[in-house]
Amino acid sequence: MSAQPVEPHPHGPIATYDQLRILADDVIDAADRRGNRVRADIANQEITIHMMSPSNPHGRIVTALAVQVESQDSRAVTLAENRVHHPGIGLCRTADLLVMTEQAYERQDDDFAVFAPDVSVAVEVVSPSDPGNDYVTKLRDYPRIGVPVYAIVDPRDGTVTVHSGPDSASGEPRYRDTPSRYKFGDTVRLGKWSIDTSAFPRYRA
C-alpha cells in the first residue's frame, strides 16, 4: 500500500485529535464515493492515507486467524480492518486484525476506533508494496498506544514474528528486544490463543 500524508497548513492553527478524526472519516467517505478503498491513520497531527489493495493470500490469512481464535474462545472478538487508537496520545492506526475479549469490546464507548489498551492482540499481514509500515511504523506505534501483543505475518518468506512485553524502561514504550519467531507450519502463540499456520499461503514470486 502507498501512503500520502495530509498535513495541516504550516501557518494555520494546530488541529486537535477530534478534528483530525472527523477529517479522516471525510477522506475515507470521499474515496469510497469514487470507488477507492483507503485507510486514514493519524499521528503527529497529520493524516496519512494508505491505498488498500489486499491480495488473496492476505485476505485468506486474516480470515484463518479470526476463525481459529473464535473457534477456541466463544468470548473472543475479532475485528478485521479496524482502527485502534489512543486519543490521549493523538495516535490512530488501522490493523489488519484485532483480537480482544468480549468484555473489553462491550466497554468501548466510541465507534470510531477501539481503545488500544483494551486490545489483546494486533496482527498485520505484510504487504509486498509497503513492508516498512508493519516492520517499522506499527512496531514503533503499537507499544506506544498500549497494544500488548503485536504479530507480524509475512507471506513473502513464510514467517511470523510476535512482539510482546511493552515497557518504558528505555524512555519511549517499546516491545522487548527478543521477539518470538516462527515459520509457516508452526503453532504460534498469540496471547492465550494458539494459531496453526500450516495452511497459511505465501505470496507467489
Side-chain angles (χ1 to χ4, degrees):
M1 295 179 287
S2 59
Q4 178 63 44
V6 178
E7 302 180 20
H9 190 279
H11 303 297
I14 296 175
T16 67
Y17 181 72
D18 284 342
Q19 290 171 328
L20 288 170
R21 55 184 276 174
I22 292 171
L23 180 57
D25 273 342
D26 289 344
V27 169
I28 292 171
D29 290 343
D32 283 344
R33 290 194 294 271
R34 291 168 174 77
N36 296 316
R37 295 185 62 206
V38 302
R39 294 176 173 183
D41 291 343
I42 301 171
N44 302 317
Q45 295 186 328
E46 67 180 35
I47 299 171
T48 302
I49 307 303
H50 302 263
M51 295 298 296
M52 294 173 57
S53 54
S55 64
N56 291 339
H58 184 286
R60 184 177 173 188
I61 290 171
V62 171
T63 300
L65 282 160
V67 168
Q68 289 192 51
V69 168
E70 293 188 358
S71 67
Q72 294 173 41
D73 185 355
S74 63
R75 297 179 66 87
V77 175
T78 59
L79 304 168
E81 294 292 342
N82 207 91
R83 288 180 290 208
V84 54
H85 73 164
H86 195 307
I89 299 174
L91 185 56
C92 177
R93 295 296 181 195
T94 307
D96 287 332
L97 186 72
L98 297 173
V99 183
M100 59 197 310
T101 65
E102 184 179 52
Q103 182 181 22
Y105 178 78
E106 292 298 332
R107 66 172 172 258
Q108 302 303 304
D109 59 2
D110 188 346
D111 289 338
F112 177 78
V114 298
F115 185 49
D118 287 336
V119 171
S120 298
V121 181
V123 181
E124 299 294 344
V125 180
V126 175
S127 168
S129 63
D130 190 14
N133 191 42
D134 300 323
Y135 279 109
V136 179
T137 303
K138 291 182 176 179
L139 182 57
R140 177 196 65 215
D141 288 345
Y142 281 162
R144 289 178 61 198
I145 59 178
V147 175
V149 178
Y150 172 38
I152 303 173
V153 182
D154 196 337
R156 298 176 306 167
D157 58 5
T159 61
V160 181
T161 306
V162 181
H163 297 270
S164 61
D167 64 61
S168 303
S170 60
E172 186 77 9
R174 55 181 291 177
Y175 294 119
R176 61 174 176 241
D177 292 335
T178 306
S180 300
R181 303 184 188 277
Y182 305 87
K183 295 181 179 179
F184 283 11
D186 294 339
T187 297
V188 176
R189 191 73 179 174
L190 296 182
K192 63 179 180 179
W193 301 281
S194 296
I195 304 300
D196 177 7
T197 66
S198 60
F200 282 10
R202 292 182 59 175
Y203 293 135
R204 300 181 187 184

